[in-house]
Amino acid sequence: MSLNTFGHVFRFSTWGESHGPAIGAVVDGCPPGLALGEADIQPWLDRRRPGQSRFTTQRQEPDQVRILSGVFEGRTTGTPISLMIDNVDQRAKDYAEVAGAWRPGHADYTYQAKYGHRDWRGGGRASARETAARVAAGAVARLVIPGVTIRACLVELGGDAIDRAAFDDAQIDANPFFCPDAAAAARWERLVDDARKAGSSLGAVVECVATGAPPGWGAPLYAKLDAALAAACMSVNAVKGVEIGDGFATARLRGEENADAMRAGADGAPHFLSNHAGGVLGGISTGQPIVVRAAFKPTSSILTPQQTVTASGAETGISTRGRHDPCVAIRGAPVIEAMVALVLADQKLLHRAQCGDVR
Amino acid sequence: MSLNTFGHVFRFSTWGESHGPAIGAVVDGCPPGLALGEADIQPWLDRRRPGQSRFTTQRQEPDQVRILSGVFEGRTTGTPISLMIDNVDQRAKDYAEVAGAWRPGHADYTYQAKYGHRDWRGGGRASARETAARVAAGAVARLVIPGVTIRACLVELGGDAIDRAAFDDAQIDANPFFCPDAAAAARWERLVDDARKAGSSLGAVVECVATGAPPGWGAPLYAKLDAALAAACMSVNAVKGVEIGDGFATARLRGEENADAMRAGADGAPHFLSNHAGGVLGGISTGQPIVVRAAFKPTSSILTPQQTVTASGAETGISTRGRHDPCVAIRGAPVIEAMVALVLADQKLLHRAQCGDVR
Amino acid sequence: MSLNTFGHVFRFSTWGESHGPAIGAVVDGCPPGLALGEADIQPWLDRRRPGQSRFTTQRQEPDQVRILSGVFEGRTTGTPISLMIDNVDQRAKDYAEVAGAWRPGHADYTYQAKYGHRDWRGGGRASARETAARVAAGAVARLVIPGVTIRACLVELGGDAIDRAAFDDAQIDANPFFCPDAAAAARWERLVDDARKAGSSLGAVVECVATGAPPGWGAPLYAKLDAALAAACMSVNAVKGVEIGDGFATARLRGEENADAMRAGADGAPHFLSNHAGGVLGGISTGQPIVVRAAFKPTSSILTPQQTVTASGAETGISTRGRHDPCVAIRGAPVIEAMVALVLADQKLLHRAQCGDVR
Amino acid sequence: MSLNTFGHVFRFSTWGESHGPAIGAVVDGCPPGLALGEADIQPWLDRRRPGQSRFTTQRQEPDQVRILSGVFEGRTTGTPISLMIDNVDQRAKDYAEVAGAWRPGHADYTYQAKYGHRDWRGGGRASARETAARVAAGAVARLVIPGVTIRACLVELGGDAIDRAAFDDAQIDANPFFCPDAAAAARWERLVDDARKAGSSLGAVVECVATGAPPGWGAPLYAKLDAALAAACMSVNAVKGVEIGDGFATARLRGEENADAMRAGADGAPHFLSNHAGGVLGGISTGQPIVVRAAFKPTSSILTPQQTVTASGAETGISTRGRHDPCVAIRGAPVIEAMVALVLADQKLLHRAQCGDVR
């Protein structure tokens, strides 16, 4: 079984391979009556679009989205919204040499082991190209949660972390790294340039903060808000770790340091004095900002030769040419944003289903 | 909506509150013909059982499981397996004072915000007591994957990490911390004792390794093996971070350091020279050991007074008496094992559904 | 895979075999704050309870339900509601002779073919005893749709149909057949007595009408309200046909006879001049009464000897002793009611999830 | 919530409106390695295609399917298969006059009531045009169950039933009615012509038989094979009743007439002497032919004026011009075939998941 659908009531399914004719997403369960046109989706795709700086892959994909269903007279109808993006800059021949060998760090071997047959062109279904479909779906999700602002940035790249004191939201879109610290962004230019020139690649950590979600979202126990966020982020290509709030650092805190104290808030809701919990307690949102971090491994496609074996079991060396991101995490930031939006839209509707008349 | 079911084809649902009459799990989709009796489940429950050392809660629960359905003449029939565990040592009155105030770090406020009505006795549904039901279900899952060995241990407690060079599987069950490093276990005794005496608590990191899973398990893209593991672990009480393989550390590796090189293996399958990937590539198992780590925050129930507010919005101080684990991660190790078993059993059957005749 | 769960957001799972220690249901996704006690469930179970007249099985089961979770201080908490009913009058030995042979019309052979191992005592999981768990869950569902009245009755038994002109709601609970036509009920006494004495059994048609559901419930296209009702009814033991509104008779109508004309209604909503559609158009409720009919085959357990084969393939004759309903449809009426309630509760919440702010 | 996905492990989702740019289906969970090209799908679409005789709508849609993903080098890869069919012969203006009024028997009013906003062009999402996407998906499903033959035909039209003694498989594709009885087909020509000329329409009953399914398919209790078939058929436009095997007629049989006796079969499996059960017992296939019948109401779009109200509540008359099928059941036959194929493919994989190693 292949599960290319995510979500419970606000759900999306994606399809398409890196070098097929197109990729797409079908969004189901979207509330009706929302104003939606391609112009609401395109800006988000543009943020993720390749080829915009020398720090991302040079594959030129315009990523123009078309809405094929589910919208009438500019508003959603509640029926499935089919979104399609043509692939226009495939170069399958770049991959001919890797058709018969497993690229280390890639899904080549595992897809072959699972399915016995795979589309090896550019990683086929396992390509990060699929994430464009997530971003398109995520743009629809944002309309479902208009009061929520979702913002992702890179807080560490190649082991070089930002200075939290220098965190400036305005910087995030002012450099090619979605980096909130101008000084760090400057350092990262050199880091990424050096890695690219060395035929290598770098990892990074993306942090995503969603503000404006009310308390009460989350569906314990096995669709807890944090569990859904963890699955959503871990399903993104190259992600190897996810944490909520202080995450792994909480394992080093003492109980009295970790638990967020409360004082009387202005509106009757408690006011939290800190947010180690990252906005989630018991799998349910607290009303504080929801904080998620995802660790991206370095791009596995590198020029540096690596040891591997062929499909027939012979040992060989491989060096991935093609056109690749030297740090796949950079374009991962808009993808994590989209996944967080998709989780929150789903959880909002789930909550309304069960608790729509609470209070 | 409340989603108390986990899994796709091998699924389990749990029910029950900390201070209700009982808790339970219903396992659905279990293959028929497996030898199963209460004696196959009880040892796993015993490992998680409270009150076995001074380092866990003193609540005395025998955690005797009963099988109420789905087994006939000692073998599973393929119909739902109902597992029930009576609660025998409730002391709801311990919680009377917290009925009207939110314990920091707990789900008290969020359950109230979501549902408008909650069982405040011992955390109700949000209590870690629910994890006994997971362990019982996990014992059934193990029977579905007889070739897979799953082993969890604590690799860091209160910020004190084990010495990897001293890792000894045999030590794990030889101390009250599931600690594979005897020297660390000795240090942790003092750490936990000190924290407990100080009315505080500690966090820890649990590492779980599953060996013996073949390549090919995992259902990309949104039920990737690692995404399912992340959701499974994050759904466990107190977990705030999950990583696969080298996890967050991969964000600091270069491409050539991170990608696991392959050489020709004895059986035609590639032999990996390292396992930074933690046994998962592209959401599908590689055949290498599957490595998951979960960060547990310190127990939120502590004697040290904390600032909070009451249900009516008045500021107050709170200090949680009751009987609590000074480090909830300790009993978390068997729970993480169970969740990994439950994911792998499900993924094995999912894989057989779609790819049962591959090769 | 075995799917013992029904519903999308209001969901229930059942477990248990006819001659195991107990049966049960776990209701998940129930809105919080609803007043619920065992006394809200018991009357519905009592209507279905065996042994209340000579026209049903003489197995004496008190069918006392216990609520084990999900309710606190008399109100639902939004967490899973575990309902358990002990089996007290098993006589497994009645079935010893059928352990090794397939009873015609029963699931004996198919369970064996599917699972290779089965609980043959009283049909095991395939027994109509399981429907008690549905009725218990259905009692909870009714609380979710307080404005909806659901009423099932038998409109045909052994080929003898009621006189529609004599339909009297008040009669339904005044005879042992849930028959709305007193004269028909009198005739049916003899029919059923005769069949029972002849060692035979009879089929019947149950009609269920739900009034009070607003327009808009239903989730097209594959969870259409009528599709969900069809699945719900067809999942009940012995049901072989389901129809909505005029059902099969519509195949004999002309377009202008079948389509329900509309006139201006008092409240702005259209007033329908007829209800051939049975309250559903395009998979969505119209606001008219929802009308479902289910055809029950005659009980397969009969004294009349039948030809069959043994598990080892030898030809034999079989005559089912045990204690059986001469017309299983009679006790089927409360079960169909429960299933309709469960579908409507789920659809109400589904609708609220997606369209909670329409208009 | 809108649920446009069907199936558990072999799943398909459809999208698209009658007068949008295209419609499509995404098939997920398909086993890899199956030979698949557009030529494997097109013939099934052609059977359902409109405009092929004077007995169906004159809308001219070539219904050319394109495969956009999931197939590589002519074989399925196990990833989602995206199927797209362009709409080329829309005439939305035909519907301008019905934009503001509810067509009786249609989903106009219910979609408006549910969503508050709808695509009124040709019924939008509620149009039978969507069933082309089902037929395309069904063509893929057939490849998953190569040993199963699925054949649907009309056994009654406008109240005129076929003569069972004259049933001839070879006739089914020899007339425009999928009618297995040549004499009936001749009579139906006149019936349909007369209805069309009278501005009316007719209903019909479709019977579908699947042979070759082994015993053991079906997932009790709530995804029973017959329950899944019932939901699948009832989800098709205009279907108001579904029955399995003898269906409603079993309600008039006595126990000894209904239960299918068994004798020793050649291969160890029992040989059934009859098939009143329609190939399903206890929700699981018996190995006999699976027999499903669906009742289609007469097409609701008729020229004969009908009473209705406008969106603003004013009474009016309506007569549906456009281009319509005088008997929508005719083109329903290939759709029912497709739905049965989709159910069986799913159940085969479900069965393999849980019971892949039974025996």
Side-chain angles (χ1 to χ4, degrees):
Chain A
M1 176 154 114
S2 171
L3 273 175
N4 293 279
T5 297
F6 187 88
H8 297 92
V9 293
F10 183 93
R11 312 195 305 165
F12 73 103
S13 307
T14 68
W15 55 268
E17 277 80 38
S18 178
H19 287 63
I23 59 174
V26 181
V27 176
D28 199 8
C30 184
L34 303 175
L36 175 66
E38 280 136 6
D40 296 301
I41 302 173
Q42 200 60 50
W44 303 107
L45 281 169
D46 290 346
R47 288 183 76 222
R48 180 207 159 276
R49 191 150 57 84
Q52 301 192 101
S53 81
R54 69 179 188 275
F55 306 108
T56 62
T57 173
Q58 295 308 301
R59 179 171 169 174
Q60 293 295 335
E61 288 289 351
D63 281 353
Q64 290 292 324
V65 69
R66 276 182 293 157
I67 299 175
L68 297 178
S69 68
V71 176
F72 183 62
E73 297 176 340
R75 288 191 294 143
T76 60
T77 59
T79 64
I81 302 167
S82 178
L83 305 170
M84 189 158 98
I85 300 168
D86 289 322
N87 289 331
V88 303
D89 186 23
Q90 309 102 313
R91 287 196 210 156
K93 65 178 158 46
D94 283 0
Y95 295 91
E97 67 180 312
V98 302
W102 323 128
R103 293 171 299 163
H106 275 286
D108 298 346
Y109 168 63
T110 53
Y111 267 66
Q112 187 70 33
K114 182 175 189 70
Y115 298 117
H117 175 55
R118 73 194 167 95
D119 180 347
W120 45 259
R121 300 167 305 167
R125 180 71 180 150
S127 166
R129 174 131 193 81
E130 183 266 348
T131 59
R134 304 183 188 220
V135 170
V140 180
R142 286 176 195 265
L143 303 177
V144 178
I145 44 171
V148 179
T149 303
I150 301 170
R151 202 81 171 94
C153 60
L154 271 71
V155 294
E156 180 187 313
L157 187 154
D160 181 14
I162 63 161
D163 175 5
R164 286 277 162 183
F167 197 111
D168 177 3
D169 258 338
Q171 280 298 315
I172 295 176
D173 282 335
N175 60 67
F177 304 107
F178 301 111
C179 177
D181 167 359
R187 297 194 303 270
W188 294 357
E189 284 212 17
R190 178 164 314 166
L191 273 177
V192 178
D193 270 336
D194 288 353
R196 189 164 44 86
K197 287 172 190 162
S200 183
S201 62
L202 298 172
V205 176
V206 171
E207 179 173 290
C208 185
V209 179
T211 52
W217 290 0
L221 287 175
Y222 300 114
K224 279 179 173 172
L225 179 53
D226 36 0
L229 290 168
C233 293
M234 196 67 94
S235 76
V236 174
N237 305 51
V239 172
K240 300 298 287 184
V242 184
E243 53 184 14
I244 305 293
D246 285 3
F248 275 84
T250 63
R252 285 163 227 134
L253 297 178
R254 295 172 71 88
E256 63 278 15
E257 294 165 332
N258 174 69
D260 301 306
M262 286 170 264
R263 297 285 76 189
D267 57 351
H271 169 68
F272 291 90
L273 299 183
S274 54
N275 190 17
H276 300 291
V280 187
L281 284 174
I284 302 172
S285 62
T286 63
Q288 286 206 286
I290 295 164
V291 181
V292 190
R293 261 182 310 281
F296 283 76
K297 66 180 183 183
T299 313
S300 297
S301 301
I302 51 175
L303 271 170
T304 304
Q306 296 171 282
Q307 292 181 305
T308 192
V309 292
T310 66
S312 50
E315 301 193 336
T316 186
I318 201 162
S319 128
T320 315
R321 282 183 184 83
R323 297 161 297 176
H324 303 289
D325 291 279
C327 175
V328 74
I330 299 172
R331 296 203 291 129
V335 179
I336 294 293
E337 275 188 9
M339 294 307 294
V340 170
L342 288 155
V343 166
L344 293 178
D346 189 33
Q347 293 285 357
K348 174 186 171 175
L349 301 190
L350 272 175
H351 178 64
R352 184 160 74 183
Q354 187 182 16
C355 302
D357 47 17
V358 167
R359 219 154 314 174
Chain B
M1 175 154 112
S2 169
L3 274 173
N4 294 279
T5 298
F6 187 88
H8 297 92
V9 292
F10 183 94
R11 312 195 305 166
F12 74 102
S13 307
T14 68
W15 56 269
E17 277 82 38
S18 178
H19 287 63
I23 60 174
V26 181
V27 176
D28 198 8
C30 184
L34 304 175
L36 175 65
E38 281 136 7
D40 296 299
I41 301 173
Q42 200 59 50
W44 304 106
L45 281 168
D46 290 345
R47 288 182 76 221
R48 179 205 158 278
R49 192 150 57 84
Q52 302 193 99
S53 79
R54 70 179 187 273
F55 306 108
T56 61
T57 172
Q58 297 307 303
R59 178 170 170 177
Q60 293 296 335
E61 287 290 352
D63 280 353
Q64 290 292 323
V65 67
R66 276 183 294 156
I67 299 174
L68 297 177
S69 67
V71 176
F72 182 62
E73 297 177 341
R75 288 190 295 143
T76 59
T77 59
T79 63
I81 301 167
S82 178
L83 305 171
M84 190 158 99
I85 300 168
D86 288 323
N87 289 332
V88 303
D89 186 23
Q90 308 103 309
R91 286 197 210 154
K93 66 178 159 43
D94 283 0
Y95 296 91
E97 66 180 313
V98 302
W102 322 129
R103 293 170 298 162
H106 275 285
D108 298 346
Y109 168 63
T110 54
Y111 267 66
Q112 188 70 33
K114 181 176 190 71
Y115 299 118
H117 175 55
R118 71 192 168 96
D119 180 348
W120 45 259
R121 301 166 303 166
R125 180 73 182 149
S127 165
R129 173 127 195 84
E130 184 266 350
T131 60
R134 303 182 189 220
V135 170
V140 180
R142 287 177 195 263
L143 302 177
V144 177
I145 44 170
V148 180
T149 303
I150 301 170
R151 202 80 173 95
C153 60
L154 271 71
V155 294
E156 180 187 313
L157 187 152
D160 181 14
I162 62 161
D163 174 5
R164 285 278 164 183
F167 197 111
D168 176 5
D169 259 339
Q171 281 297 318
I172 295 176
D173 282 338
N175 61 68
F177 303 107
F178 301 111
C179 177
D181 168 358
R187 297 195 303 271
W188 295 358
E189 284 211 17
R190 177 163 317 167
L191 274 177
V192 178
D193 270 337
D194 288 355
R196 189 164 46 86
K197 286 172 192 162
S200 183
S201 61
L202 298 172
V205 176
V206 170
E207 179 173 289
C208 185
V209 179
T211 52
W217 290 1
L221 287 176
Y222 301 114
K224 279 179 173 172
L225 179 53
D226 36 0
L229 289 167
C233 292
M234 197 69 94
S235 76
V236 174
N237 306 49
V239 172
K240 299 299 286 185
V242 184
E243 53 185 14
I244 306 293
D246 285 4
F248 275 84
T250 65
R252 285 162 228 135
L253 297 179
R254 296 171 70 87
E256 63 278 14
E257 294 166 332
N258 174 68
D260 301 307
M262 286 170 261
R263 297 286 75 190
D267 57 351
H271 170 68
F272 290 90
L273 299 182
S274 56
N275 189 18
H276 299 291
V280 187
L281 285 173
I284 302 172
S285 61
T286 63
Q288 286 204 284
I290 295 164
V291 181
V292 190
R293 262 183 308 281
F296 284 76
K297 67 179 183 184
T299 313
S300 297
S301 302
I302 52 176
L303 271 170
T304 305
Q306 297 171 280
Q307 292 181 304
T308 192
V309 292
T310 66
S312 49
E315 301 193 339
T316 185
I318 200 162
S319 126
T320 314
R321 282 183 185 82
R323 297 160 296 175
H324 304 289
D325 290 280
C327 174
V328 74
I330 298 172
R331 295 203 294 129
V335 179
I336 294 293
E337 275 189 8
M339 294 307 292
V340 170
L342 288 155
V343 167
L344 293 179
D346 188 33
Q347 293 284 358
K348 174 186 172 175
L349 301 190
L350 273 174
H351 177 64
R352 186 160 73 182
Q354 187 183 17
C355 301
D357 47 15
V358 167
R359 220 156 312 176
Chain C
M1 175 154 114
S2 170
L3 274 173
N4 294 280
T5 298
F6 187 88
H8 297 91
V9 292
F10 184 93
R11 310 194 308 164
F12 74 102
S13 307
T14 68
W15 56 268
E17 278 81 39
S18 178
H19 287 62
I23 60 174
V26 181
V27 176
D28 198 9
C30 184
L34 303 175
L36 174 65
E38 280 134 8
D40 296 299
I41 302 174
Q42 200 59 51
W44 303 107
L45 281 169
D46 290 345
R47 288 183 75 222
R48 180 206 157 278
R49 192 150 58 85
Q52 301 191 102
S53 80
R54 70 179 187 274
F55 306 108
T56 61
T57 173
Q58 296 308 301
R59 178 170 170 176
Q60 293 295 335
E61 288 289 351
D63 280 354
Q64 290 293 322
V65 68
R66 276 182 293 157
I67 298 174
L68 297 178
S69 67
V71 175
F72 182 62
E73 296 176 343
R75 288 191 295 143
T76 59
T77 58
T79 63
I81 301 167
S82 178
L83 304 171
M84 190 158 98
I85 300 167
D86 288 322
N87 289 331
V88 303
D89 187 23
Q90 308 102 312
R91 287 197 209 155
K93 66 178 158 45
D94 283 1
Y95 296 90
E97 67 181 312
V98 302
W102 322 128
R103 292 172 298 162
H106 275 286
D108 298 344
Y109 168 63
T110 54
Y111 268 66
Q112 187 70 32
K114 181 175 189 70
Y115 298 117
H117 175 55
R118 72 192 167 96
D119 180 347
W120 45 258
R121 300 166 304 166
R125 181 72 180 148
S127 166
R129 174 128 193 83
E130 184 266 349
T131 60
R134 304 182 189 220
V135 170
V140 181
R142 287 176 195 265
L143 303 177
V144 177
I145 45 171
V148 179
T149 302
I150 301 170
R151 202 79 171 97
C153 60
L154 270 71
V155 294
E156 180 187 312
L157 187 153
D160 181 14
I162 63 161
D163 174 6
R164 287 277 163 183
F167 198 111
D168 176 4
D169 259 338
Q171 281 297 316
I172 294 175
D173 283 335
N175 60 68
F177 304 107
F178 301 110
C179 177
D181 167 358
R187 298 194 304 270
W188 295 357
E189 286 211 16
R190 179 165 314 168
L191 274 177
V192 178
D193 270 337
D194 288 355
R196 190 165 45 86
K197 286 171 192 161
S200 183
S201 62
L202 297 172
V205 176
V206 170
E207 179 173 289
C208 184
V209 179
T211 52
W217 290 0
L221 286 174
Y222 300 114
K224 279 179 173 172
L225 180 53
D226 37 359
L229 290 168
C233 292
M234 197 68 94
S235 77
V236 174
N237 305 49
V239 172
K240 299 300 285 185
V242 184
E243 54 184 13
I244 305 293
D246 285 4
F248 275 84
T250 64
R252 284 162 230 135
L253 296 178
R254 295 171 71 87
E256 63 277 14
E257 294 166 332
N258 174 69
D260 302 306
M262 286 170 262
R263 298 285 77 189
D267 57 351
H271 169 69
F272 291 90
L273 299 182
S274 54
N275 190 17
H276 300 290
V280 186
L281 284 173
I284 302 172
S285 62
T286 63
Q288 286 205 285
I290 294 164
V291 181
V292 190
R293 261 183 306 284
F296 284 75
K297 68 180 183 183
T299 313
S300 297
S301 301
I302 52 175
L303 270 170
T304 304
Q306 296 171 283
Q307 292 181 304
T308 193
V309 292
T310 66
S312 49
E315 301 194 337
T316 185
I318 200 162
S319 128
T320 315
R321 280 180 188 82
R323 297 160 297 174
H324 303 288
D325 290 280
C327 175
V328 74
I330 299 171
R331 296 202 292 129
V335 179
I336 294 293
E337 274 188 9
M339 294 308 293
V340 170
L342 289 155
V343 167
L344 293 178
D346 188 33
Q347 294 284 358
K348 174 186 172 176
L349 301 190
L350 272 174
H351 178 65
R352 185 160 73 181
Q354 186 181 19
C355 301
D357 48 15
V358 167
R359 220 156 314 173
Chain D
M1 176 154 113
S2 169
L3 273 175
N4 294 278
T5 297
F6 187 88
H8 297 93
V9 291
F10 183 93
R11 313 196 304 165
F12 74 103
S13 306
T14 68
W15 56 268
E17 277 81 38
S18 178
H19 288 63
I23 60 173
V26 181
V27 176
D28 198 8
C30 184
L34 304 175
L36 175 65
E38 281 136 6
D40 296 301
I41 301 173
Q42 199 60 49
W44 304 107
L45 282 169
D46 290 346
R47 289 182 76 221
R48 179 206 158 277
R49 191 150 57 85
Q52 301 192 102
S53 80
R54 71 179 186 274
F55 306 108
T56 61
T57 172
Q58 296 307 301
R59 179 170 169 176
Q60 293 296 333
E61 287 290 351
D63 281 353
Q64 291 291 323
V65 69
R66 276 183 293 156
I67 299 174
L68 297 176
S69 67
V71 176
F72 183 62
E73 297 177 339
R75 287 191 294 143
T76 58
T77 59
T79 63
I81 301 167
S82 178
L83 305 170
M84 189 157 99
I85 300 168
D86 288 323
N87 289 331
V88 303
D89 185 23
Q90 308 102 311
R91 287 196 209 157
K93 65 178 159 46
D94 283 1
Y95 295 91
E97 66 180 313
V98 302
W102 322 129
R103 293 170 299 162
H106 275 285
D108 298 346
Y109 168 63
T110 54
Y111 267 66
Q112 188 71 33
K114 181 176 188 70
Y115 299 117
H117 175 55
R118 73 193 167 97
D119 180 348
W120 44 259
R121 301 167 304 165
R125 180 72 181 149
S127 165
R129 174 129 194 82
E130 184 266 350
T131 59
R134 304 182 189 220
V135 170
V140 180
R142 287 177 195 265
L143 303 176
V144 177
I145 44 171
V148 179
T149 302
I150 301 170
R151 203 80 171 95
C153 60
L154 270 72
V155 294
E156 181 187 312
L157 187 153
D160 181 13
I162 63 161
D163 174 5
R164 286 279 163 180
F167 198 111
D168 176 4
D169 259 338
Q171 281 297 316
I172 295 175
D173 282 337
N175 61 68
F177 303 106
F178 301 111
C179 176
D181 168 358
R187 298 193 305 269
W188 294 358
E189 285 210 17
R190 179 164 314 168
L191 274 177
V192 178
D193 271 336
D194 288 354
R196 188 163 45 88
K197 287 171 190 162
S200 183
S201 62
L202 298 172
V205 176
V206 171
E207 178 173 290
C208 186
V209 179
T211 51
W217 290 0
L221 287 174
Y222 300 114
K224 278 179 173 173
L225 179 54
D226 37 359
L229 289 167
C233 293
M234 197 68 95
S235 76
V236 174
N237 306 51
V239 172
K240 298 300 286 185
V242 184
E243 54 184 13
I244 305 292
D246 285 3
F248 275 84
T250 64
R252 287 162 226 133
L253 297 178
R254 296 172 69 89
E256 63 278 15
E257 294 165 331
N258 175 68
D260 301 306
M262 285 170 264
R263 297 284 77 190
D267 58 351
H271 169 68
F272 290 90
L273 299 182
S274 56
N275 189 18
H276 300 291
V280 187
L281 285 173
I284 302 173
S285 62
T286 63
Q288 286 205 285
I290 295 165
V291 181
V292 190
R293 261 182 309 281
F296 284 75
K297 68 179 183 183
T299 313
S300 297
S301 301
I302 53 175
L303 271 169
T304 305
Q306 296 171 281
Q307 293 180 305
T308 192
V309 292
T310 66
S312 49
E315 300 194 339
T316 185
I318 200 163
S319 126
T320 316
R321 283 183 185 82
R323 297 160 298 175
H324 303 289
D325 290 281
C327 174
V328 73
I330 299 173
R331 296 203 293 130
V335 179
I336 295 292
E337 275 188 8
M339 294 307 293
V340 170
L342 289 155
V343 167
L344 292 179
D346 188 33
Q347 292 285 359
K348 173 186 171 174
L349 301 190
L350 273 175
H351 178 64
R352 186 160 73 183
Q354 187 182 16
C355 301
D357 48 16
V358 167
R359 217 157 316 176

